[in-house]
Amino acid sequence: MNAHEAISAHSKKQFEHLQQFYKLDQQREMAIEEALSLCKAGQPYTVDEINLITKKINEHAKEGISPVRVYVTPEMVQTYATK
């Protein structure tokens, strides 16, 4: 494999890694929005789905260049919902 092919393969791998991160991050944002909506409406909510996706993101980050995300607590949702 020449240098150009190696660089192209590396770039493609990074691109695919980041695409997977963006997909997971969008799912996480949707889960956060759902929890916020329920909280603002005074309905019961959990952060389980958010943190399940967060775990996937953080595991995925170990394999490449994507960032990690913090786990969310119910208190964090409550605080943000009241702003």
Side-chain angles (χ1 to χ4, degrees), residues 15-32:
F15 176 77
E16 290 170 352
H17 177 85
L18 289 174
Q19 289 293 41
Q20 180 63 23
F21 164 75
Y22 291 132
K23 179 181 171 186
L24 289 168
D25 201 44
Q26 285 180 326
Q27 291 173 2
R28 183 176 183 267
E29 287 300 317
M30 288 177 16
I32 290 170

Side-chain angles (χ1 to χ4, degrees), residues 28-44:
R28 183 176 183 267
E29 287 300 317
M30 288 177 16
I32 290 170
E33 287 300 320
E34 177 68 22
L36 282 170
S37 293
L38 290 170
C39 181
K40 288 177 182 178
Q43 299 293 317

